[in-house]
């Protein structure tokens, strides 16, 4: 749903007809301060200069964002056409192939639940980042040769995560087991659950068939240290950390983002070694090197991951 913003004051903005569209939920802080009429419109005369300026910026940004998306889509389409003309082979699976790539028919035994019961502990900006990671997890899984079974659990109905998710048309139809207002431990047997947390003393060595690996769906820049571990312990669940220090040397902390943890699990479940997986998944700025580092190692990285890091800051850093 969109709310129309009427700017009646001469603000000198360059938005056509001095009207702009503002998406609901966008810039909540600004929006909540505004008084809207019954029909949902905002009269500029009721706003302070600062509010008008903020809204105008927001509206301009919205327009720019849409234009950027269109340009990107067009560029992508063009690239695909050119590749087709040149007779280059496809780089990824076709839409048809993707449709058939369902977890239920997958040869992969891996089961992963993302615990999204942290709605109230994240600021709006991090909610957006968290949902972006869910999207990324879903895409990686769908595009993999053998997708894992995914559970997205503990989503509060009409809560912040839910609202952010709902911006993605058709998300309800994703090949995911959704659990709204229910946590993973309410839908799964406790004995089958293993909560992954960097604070655990147990080290994950092999992936088991009957275990559901739970990853905390939280972006908190590690401000809430030990949070997931605490919750898992209170529930009496098994916990483990990824075997990072056992396989690689890293120059930064070993708390990874939800999406990186998922990618690592998926690769390892496909039979790729921990060392190779970790070096492929972890971004360059984590400075990961194989345990027995030799100068011949050139630190090649997956360009897609690197790009995603740059644009979406998915790593749990304390600064962002
Ligand atoms: N402050 C949070 C950090 C969240 S990081 C906490 O208390 O854990 C997001 C999720 O990724 C974590 O909840 C955990 O499930 C997983 N994770 C991150 N680094 C990990 C590691 N080294 N080993 C196992 N799980 C990890």
């Amino acid at each position: 749903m969109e709310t129309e913003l009427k700017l009646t004051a001469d603000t000198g903005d360059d938005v056509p007809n001095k009207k702009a569209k503002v998406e609901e939920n966008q810039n909540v802080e600004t929006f909540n301060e505004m008084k809207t009429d019954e029909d949902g419109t905002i009269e500029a005369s009721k706003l302070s200069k600062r509010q008008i300026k903020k809204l105008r910026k927001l509206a301009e940004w919205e327009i720019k964002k849409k234009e950027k998306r269109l340009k990107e889509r067009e560029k992508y389409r063009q690239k695909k056409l050119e590749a087709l003309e040149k007779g280059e082979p496809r780089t990824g699976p076709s839409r048809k192939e993707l449709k058939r790539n369902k977890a239920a028919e997958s040869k992969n035994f891996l089961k992963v639940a993302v615990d999204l019961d942290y709605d109230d502990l994240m600021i709006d900006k991090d909610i957006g980042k968290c949902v972006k990671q869910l999207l990324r997890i879903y895409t990686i899984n769908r595009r993999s040769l053998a997708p894992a079974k995914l559970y997205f659990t503990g989503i509060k109905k009409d809560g912040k995560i839910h609202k952010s998710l709902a911006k993605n048309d058709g998300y309800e139809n994703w090949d995911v087991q959704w659990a709204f207002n229910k946590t993973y431990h309410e839908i799964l047997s406790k004995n089958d659950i293993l909560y992954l947390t960097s604070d655990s003393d147990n080290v994950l060595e092999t992936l088991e068939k009957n275990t559901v690996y739970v990853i905390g769906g939280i972006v908190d820049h590690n401000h809430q240290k030990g949070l997931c571990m605490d919750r898992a312990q209170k529930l009496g669940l098994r916990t483990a950390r990824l075997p990072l220090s056992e396989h690689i040397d890293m120059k930064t902390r070993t708390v990874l983002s939800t999406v990186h943890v998922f990618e690592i699990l998926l690769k390892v479940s496909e039979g790729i070694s921990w060392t190779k997986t970790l070096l492929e998944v972890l971004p360059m700025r984590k400075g990961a090197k194989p345990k027995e580092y030799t100068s011949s190692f050139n630190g090649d990285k997956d360009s897609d991951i690197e790009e995603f890091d740059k644009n979406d800051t998915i790593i749990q850093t304390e600064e962002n």
Side-chain angles (χ1 to χ4, degrees):
M1 208 184 100
E2 289 187 324
T3 307
E4 196 176 32
L5 159 71
K6 281 189 209 155
L7 291 171
T8 50
D10 187 5
T11 53
D13 70 307
D14 52 12
V15 180
N17 303 326
K18 294 193 177 115
K19 280 187 179 181
K21 298 259 179 185
V22 178
E23 243 179 62
E24 262 201 344
N25 301 326
Q26 202 75 57
N27 200 339
V28 180
E29 184 206 335
T30 312
F31 216 73
N32 284 347
E33 293 168 12
M34 316 283 172
K35 285 196 185 80
T36 56
D37 290 344
E38 273 168 23
D39 65 354
T41 59
I42 306 167
E43 287 290 337
S45 55
K46 290 182 189 162
L47 305 175
S48 70
K49 268 191 175 173
R50 197 179 130 261
Q51 284 176 323
I52 292 173
K53 203 171 154 198
K54 257 190 172 183
L55 272 180
R56 187 174 357 110
K57 281 220 162 126
L58 183 62
E60 284 169 359
W61 177 80
E62 272 302 317
I63 292 166
K64 267 198 198 138
K65 193 173 85 173
K66 283 204 178 113
E67 282 171 356
K68 200 175 154 209
R69 291 278 176 283
L70 278 174
K71 264 192 201 155
E72 276 169 1
R73 225 171 280 162
E74 190 46 45
K75 206 171 143 193
Y76 176 72
R77 216 172 283 152
Q78 207 56 40
K79 255 184 142 176
K80 257 174 82 175
L81 269 174
E82 276 169 27
L84 210 76
E85 275 167 16
K86 280 188 210 156
E88 283 173 9
R90 224 178 234 294
T91 46
S94 69
R95 274 187 164 264
K96 217 172 178 184
E97 282 162 345
L98 277 179
K99 268 202 169 146
R100 269 188 261 122
N101 207 14
K102 299 260 181 190
E105 286 123 49
S106 170
K107 286 189 213 98
N108 200 336
F109 63 88
L110 181 67
K111 297 188 208 109
V112 176
V114 182
D115 171 18
L116 294 156
D117 195 15
Y118 297 100
D119 214 291
D120 306 330
L121 296 173
M122 280 184 274
I123 56 166
D124 290 339
K125 204 168 145 197
D126 290 339
I127 291 274
K129 285 185 184 176
C130 180
V131 168
K132 228 176 200 175
Q133 292 200 41
L134 283 185
L135 252 81
R136 184 74 180 149
I137 287 176
Y138 183 63
T139 313
I140 292 170
N141 197 42
R142 287 285 280 156
R143 290 181 170 269
S144 71
L145 286 173
K149 185 168 169 75
L150 280 179
Y151 303 79
F152 289 169
T153 70
I155 306 168
K156 287 189 187 71
K157 206 132 185 96
D158 300 320
K160 290 196 277 186
I161 293 273
H162 190 186
K163 282 187 177 154
S164 180
L165 249 177
K167 288 181 191 163
N168 301 283
D169 285 343
Y171 79 94
E172 307 95 324
N173 306 323
W174 290 0
D175 186 20
V176 163
Q177 177 107 32
W178 295 100
F180 289 96
N181 290 344
K182 270 194 192 290
T183 56
Y184 61 95
H185 51 91
E186 285 173 304
I187 61 163
L188 301 163
S189 156
K190 271 196 181 177
N191 295 333
D192 295 341
I193 298 170
L194 186 143
Y195 209 115
L196 288 167
T197 157
S198 57
D199 295 304
S200 179
D201 290 332
N202 310 318
V203 183
L204 187 69
E205 266 151 23
T206 46
L207 297 176
E208 298 159 1
K209 279 200 172 117
N210 298 322
T211 298
V212 184
Y213 295 91
V214 181
I215 312 175
I218 177 166
V219 175
D220 66 344
H221 317 286
N222 212 23
H223 287 157
Q224 310 180 68
K225 291 189 174 59
L227 175 72
C228 298
M229 183 65 185
D230 269 9
R231 286 198 178 184
Q233 269 180 331
K234 278 190 188 120
L235 289 164
L237 300 172
R238 285 186 294 153
T239 61
R241 65 168 175 82
L242 292 175
L244 302 180
S245 55
E246 285 69 19
H247 297 277
I248 53 163
D249 288 321
M250 277 165 77
K251 60 177 184 209
T252 58
R253 291 171 310 111
T254 51
V255 185
L256 307 181
S257 66
T258 311
V259 67
H260 281 151
V261 177
F262 174 73
E263 264 190 289
I264 290 168
L265 293 179
L266 188 65
K267 280 186 189 274
V268 171
S269 76
E270 286 167 353
I272 304 173
S273 73
W274 283 108
T275 307
K276 189 168 187 291
T277 295
L278 295 172
L279 293 173
E280 270 177 20
V281 173
L282 296 179
M284 284 302 273
R285 70 169 183 264
K286 286 260 172 200
K289 291 187 193 109
K291 259 267 160 305
E292 281 159 331
Y293 176 67
T294 61
S295 56
S296 62
F297 172 69
N298 65 9
D300 262 0
K301 67 212 179 266
D302 182 328
S303 59
D304 181 36
I305 292 164
E306 184 68 359
E307 195 175 304
F308 183 55
D309 282 336
K310 263 189 266 153
N311 298 336
D312 300 297
T313 6
I314 52 164
I315 305 165
Q316 295 269 341
T317 58
E318 268 152 23
E319 323 70 78
N320 61 31

